[in-house]
């Protein structure tokens, strides 16, 4: 199915086709002539693209005279592969892939304004300005994490949209459990932690009228295969690879995440807030009885979490006895 919108910077379909052809015949030498024929480009273009793939970190061996092969199948989220694995699902129709972009959320916002239908998926191997919550940046090392944003057009009021952030956290929790056997901690509203360190986060942004959402984009970042983190992040961040000591397939994780997200999304639209709020309370040990420090941006206080409101807001009993309902802000466990 053709993409609804063409975007500058997305991975050329024929470059992706070259990668798929090489991946499907990994370690087998394919002549430049056959590649050129199958993809519909000249042999010199094949040579140029092989160079380009090398620059992007793909281990392509060979040259025009001998033919080409992949030394190692790369874990690249080529759109053809993703579409194939998600055929028939909401997210298997329009997949936009970038080797490098500033932020998949920024791209998805642009698609939303351009009228792109619900279900578009924006993927990047690397982000140069990955966005995190509260104006922070999201460290997006090439090929090491999952950087994905989904475009949705739900019939929700703007006040209900933040529940999608919590829902995405639950979907990611389920996907990570299925892939690694590890039950991640979910910290309200959107952090995924293992052994107290963060490996995943969700950033939801929307375009809305006062009473109705026009579109919502849900950006998910999951540290999958990082082996270390720079600077201050080293103390607070982790990856699935660091926790499991195993290389993780980003493609499998992505397929699990998007399939689970679709299931959760349909149930949320049918059943409403309780589906998300009740599950979040069950899964997240942060939801109640946790000693925390709260930073709302306006004030900082200590307290104990006391469950979620029916709308999914976190209730905290302050140490002075007053009850506070958090709309946004950061919660940190206090030991
Ligand atoms: C957080 O601060 O916890 C939220 C991080 C969200 C990061 C993801 S990576 C894919 C998507 N694109 C972005 O620019 N941000 C989100």
């Amino acid at each position: 199915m053709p993409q609804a919108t063409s975007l500058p910077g997305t991975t050329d379909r024929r470059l992706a086709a070259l990668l798929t052809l090489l991946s499907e015949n990994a370690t087998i030498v394919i002549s430049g002539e056959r590649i050129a024929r199958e993809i519909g480009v000249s042999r010199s273009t094949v040579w140029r693209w092989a160079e380009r793939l090398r620059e992007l970190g793909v281990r392509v061996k060979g040259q025009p005279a001998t033919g080409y092969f992949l030394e190692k199948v790369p874990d690249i989220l080529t759109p053809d592969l993703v579409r194939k694995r998600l055929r028939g699902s909401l997210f298997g129709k329009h997949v936009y892939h970038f080797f490098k972009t500033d932020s998949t959320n920024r791209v998805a916002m642009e698609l939303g304004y351009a009228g792109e239908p619900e279900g578009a998926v924006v993927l990047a191997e690397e982000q140069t300005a990955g966005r995190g919550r509260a104006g922070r940046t999201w460290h997006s090392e090439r090929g090491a994490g999952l950087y994905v944003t989904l475009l949705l057009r739900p019939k929700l009021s703007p006040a209900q949209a933040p529940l999608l952030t919590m829902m995405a956290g639950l979907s990611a929790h389920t996907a990570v459990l299925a892939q690694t056997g590890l039950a991640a901690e979910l910290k309200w509203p959107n952090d995924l932690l293992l052994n107290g360190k963060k490996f995943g986060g969700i950033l939801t942004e929307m375009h809305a009228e006062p009473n109705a959402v026009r579109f919502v984009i849900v950006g998910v970042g999951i540290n999958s295969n990082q082996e270390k983190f720079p600077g201050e992040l080293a103390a607070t961040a982790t990856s699935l690879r660091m926790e499991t000591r195993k290389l993780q397939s980003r493609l499998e994780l992505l397929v699990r995440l998007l399939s689970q997200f679709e299931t959760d999304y349909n149930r949320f639209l049918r059943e409403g807030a309780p589906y998300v709020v009740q599950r979040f309370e069950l899964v997240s040990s942060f939801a109640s009885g946790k000693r925390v420090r709260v930073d709302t941006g306006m004030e900082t206080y200590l307290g104990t979490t006391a469950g979620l409101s029916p709308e999914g807001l976190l209730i905290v009993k302050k140490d002075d006895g007053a009850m506070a309902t958090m709309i946004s802000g950061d919660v940190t466990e206090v030991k």
Side-chain angles (χ1 to χ4, degrees):
M1 180 179 297
Q3 301 277 151
T5 312
S6 72
L7 278 179
T10 41
T11 303
D12 188 298
R13 288 173 77 77
R14 291 168 307 170
L15 181 66
L18 168 60
L19 198 50
T20 307
L21 184 66
L22 290 171
S23 301
E24 284 173 347
N25 297 278
T27 70
I28 300 170
V29 179
I30 317 179
S31 72
E33 198 184 328
R34 182 181 148 202
I35 298 174
R37 203 177 43 244
E38 293 203 11
I39 300 176
V41 294
S42 69
R43 285 181 63 185
S44 60
T45 305
V46 173
W47 175 78
R48 264 195 300 112
W49 283 357
E51 280 298 304
R52 171 106 180 90
L53 287 176
R54 286 182 189 119
E55 280 161 25
L56 293 164
V58 181
R59 278 153 63 182
V60 185
K61 290 277 165 181
Q63 45 188 300
T66 56
Y68 301 88
F69 69 99
L70 283 184
E71 202 176 36
K72 189 168 166 280
V73 180
D75 185 24
I76 289 180
L77 306 169
T78 44
D80 292 352
L81 223 51
V82 175
R83 261 186 236 114
K84 205 191 265 177
R85 292 290 305 274
L86 291 167
R87 191 169 290 147
S89 104
L90 172 63
F91 301 116
K93 294 182 202 126
H94 297 151
V95 179
Y96 294 86
H97 176 267
F98 294 79
F99 274 100
K100 193 196 262 195
T101 189
D102 51 353
S103 154
T104 54
N105 269 28
R106 200 271 305 148
V107 174
M109 274 313 259
E110 206 172 284
L111 287 171
Y113 284 116
E116 175 79 18
E118 167 158 281
V121 177
V122 184
L123 289 164
E125 301 297 325
E126 177 182 1
Q127 298 185 116
T128 51
R131 296 182 194 164
R133 273 179 69 222
R136 292 186 275 256
T137 55
W138 186 256
H139 176 68
S140 308
E141 180 188 335
R142 182 172 80 194
L146 210 54
Y147 317 116
V148 54
T149 304
L150 310 175
L151 174 70
L152 305 171
R153 295 187 181 274
K155 289 197 173 64
L156 294 176
S157 71
Q160 290 170 306
L163 285 165
L164 285 169
T165 307
M166 293 163 70
M167 194 209 87
L170 286 163
S171 308
H173 172 94
T174 308
V176 167
L177 182 62
Q179 171 131 347
T180 64
L182 298 177
E185 177 66 279
L186 259 180
K187 185 161 77 83
W188 187 93
N190 76 332
D191 287 355
L192 288 147
L193 313 174
L194 281 167
N195 290 319
K197 291 185 168 184
K198 180 162 169 170
F199 72 93
I202 292 132
L203 182 65
T204 301
E205 301 179 67
M206 68 174 151
H207 172 51
E209 308 291 336
N211 296 318
V213 164
R214 297 295 292 270
F215 64 84
V216 180
I217 59 157
V218 181
V220 184
I222 297 184
N223 300 335
S224 315
N225 285 323
Q226 285 86 344
E227 292 179 279
K228 55 180 172 13
F229 290 91
E232 287 179 0
L233 272 183
T236 56
T238 191
S239 72
L240 296 179
R241 181 178 188 174
M242 286 159 79
E243 296 300 319
T244 58
R245 289 162 204 249
K246 279 196 205 124
L247 197 66
Q248 299 294 328
S249 160
R250 290 181 313 140
L251 178 64
E252 290 308 318
L253 187 61
L254 176 71
V255 169
R256 286 192 163 104
L257 174 69
L258 299 193
S259 309
Q260 185 62 41
F261 190 99
E262 186 174 6
T263 305
D264 291 335
Y265 182 54
N266 288 332
R267 282 198 64 179
F268 170 46
L269 293 183
R270 268 200 318 271
E271 298 173 30
Y275 174 65
V276 174
V277 174
Q278 286 165 13
R279 272 185 67 215
F280 200 93
E281 280 188 312
L282 273 180
V283 171
S284 167
S285 74
F286 263 85
S288 68
K290 189 76 107 190
R291 285 280 300 152
V292 288
R293 170 176 293 104
V294 173
D295 183 354
T296 65
M298 311 278 281
E299 58 168 342
T300 309
Y301 56 85
L302 291 170
T304 306
T305 58
L308 299 177
S309 75
E311 304 79 33
L313 304 178
L314 185 66
I315 302 169
V316 180
K317 183 169 190 208
K318 294 183 177 182
D319 280 359
D320 66 9
M323 301 302 280
T325 302
M326 286 185 70
I327 296 172
S328 63
D330 282 323
V331 184
T332 319
E333 181 172 13
V334 181
K335 293 248 163 101

